[in-house]
Amino acid sequence: MTEFMRLRQIRFRRQKNGSSFMLSVPELDIRRGETLAVVGQSGCGKSTLMDILALILKPDEAGEFVMAGQDGGTAVGGRSDVPVDLFRAGRKLQAAIRGTRIGYVLQSGGLFPFLNVIDNIMLPGKLCGMSSARLKSDARALAVDMGIADQLYKKPQHLSGGQRQRVAIARALIHSPSLVLADEPTAAVDSVSAEEICSVLKKSVQDRNAALVVVSHDRTLMRRHADFEVTFSLERADGIVSTLQKPVSLRQ
């Protein structure tokens, strides 16, 4: 497969307080080196889609939900050249893939307040079993790339919103994931910081030949930084059915 991740006929259903919601993904390909912007109104299923891609939520149905094998080395759960069937993978394998091949930048940053910047950045690498010496070296290099090298020993509460997001990006990249997911990474910062964060995030992911998926309400911002844009169509009957549309190229 040329895609890093391929989704076909994915459906996820949720019932809450007597109302129903279904997210339908007829077709979606995620490729290395590309930035995909996911846009749409509140309640359309953007975060639900991200949690499916992050292997946090499992679809109720899937015609195809696969991830490419790893490039070289030993693949998580099997041979490196064989695509992984994510829909049928057990929880242990999904957790291993989530911990080693996926980086997640949360809207709020999601930093641990009791850890300083460098320890926050290194945390995913520690969970992957990376050596302390390599982790410290990589964390310092990422901090330089993110422009936060002088903040390494501060706690998150002493950073600006933009600085916290840069720490969150560095943390998402420390274990060299193949897929980086960012859920509203610029929602809590000003417009200048939003531009800087998008630029830093995209460049850092491209330099590592990873795939990047960004959820945002800011369509204008995304059209300046993303390669493709995807949105949803909503139907309301007994409940809400949100269908992901085909991606549209922004670089024509």
Side-chain angles (χ1 to χ4, degrees):
M1 60 187 292
T2 57
E3 308 88 355
F4 171 69
M5 188 180 283
R6 181 189 303 149
L7 294 80
R8 297 290 186 273
Q9 301 304 321
I10 301 289
R11 292 183 179 86
F12 175 83
R13 299 178 180 85
R14 180 174 62 239
Q15 295 279 344
K16 186 176 181 180
N17 299 327
S19 61
S20 65
F21 172 85
M22 184 177 81
L23 173 64
S24 174
V25 183
E27 179 179 339
L28 180 64
D29 296 326
I30 297 172
R31 298 180 178 89
R32 287 179 179 269
E34 293 182 351
T35 298
L36 174 68
V38 181
V39 299
Q41 65 190 73
S42 297
C44 67
K46 299 188 299 295
S47 293
T48 299
L49 175 64
M50 293 289 269
D51 284 345
I52 289 172
L53 297 178
L55 308 183
I56 295 170
L57 294 178
K58 182 175 181 178
D60 296 293
E61 302 173 30
E64 195 172 6
F65 186 24
V66 295
M67 174 184 285
Q70 285 179 288
D71 298 331
T74 302
V76 175
R79 289 170 48 192
S80 63
D81 58 341
V82 176
V84 180
D85 186 335
L86 299 172
F87 184 63
R88 292 175 175 79
R91 290 184 179 180
K92 185 176 181 180
L93 176 55
Q94 286 192 345
I97 293 171
R98 189 165 56 245
T100 58
R101 304 195 68 192
I102 298 173
Y104 210 153
V105 183
L106 300 174
Q107 178 175 338
S108 61
L111 304 179
F112 289 101
F114 51 86
L115 296 178
N116 61 25
V117 166
I118 193 168
D119 286 334
N120 264 291
I121 294 173
M122 292 193 301
L123 185 58
K126 289 181 178 179
L127 297 176
C128 290
M130 294 171 62
S131 71
S132 294
R134 178 186 168 188
L135 269 176
K136 285 185 178 180
S137 175
D138 290 354
R140 291 179 184 278
L142 278 167
V144 171
D145 291 344
M146 299 294 152
I148 52 171
D150 57 343
Q151 309 294 322
L152 287 176
Y153 296 99
K154 292 183 179 180
K155 297 289 181 62
Q157 60 265 35
H158 300 301
L159 305 178
S160 68
Q163 288 172 331
R164 286 195 293 271
Q165 285 303 87
R166 289 167 185 261
V167 176
I169 293 168
R171 184 179 62 180
L173 295 172
I174 189 67
H175 56 302
S176 299
S178 303
L179 171 64
V180 177
L181 306 170
D183 191 358
E184 296 280 6
T186 62
V189 300
D190 59 73
S191 59
V192 174
S193 295
E195 290 284 352
E196 293 175 349
I197 287 168
C198 282
S199 295
V200 167
L201 177 58
K202 182 176 180 178
K203 184 180 185 302
S204 298
V205 171
Q206 284 184 329
D207 288 347
R208 292 160 176 80
N209 193 33
L212 173 62
V213 181
V214 184
V215 160
S216 179
H217 283 94
D218 192 336
R219 203 165 202 160
T220 302
L221 178 67
M222 289 297 98
R223 288 185 171 178
R224 286 197 292 270
H225 294 277
D227 301 303
F228 294 88
E229 177 188 274
V230 68
T231 189
F232 305 79
S233 66
L234 293 178
E235 299 177 16
R236 300 176 186 271
D238 295 333
I240 297 175
V241 177
S242 181
T243 302
L244 191 73
Q245 303 299 290
K246 288 186 176 181
V248 175
S249 175
L250 302 176
R251 297 291 173 259
Q252 295 176 344

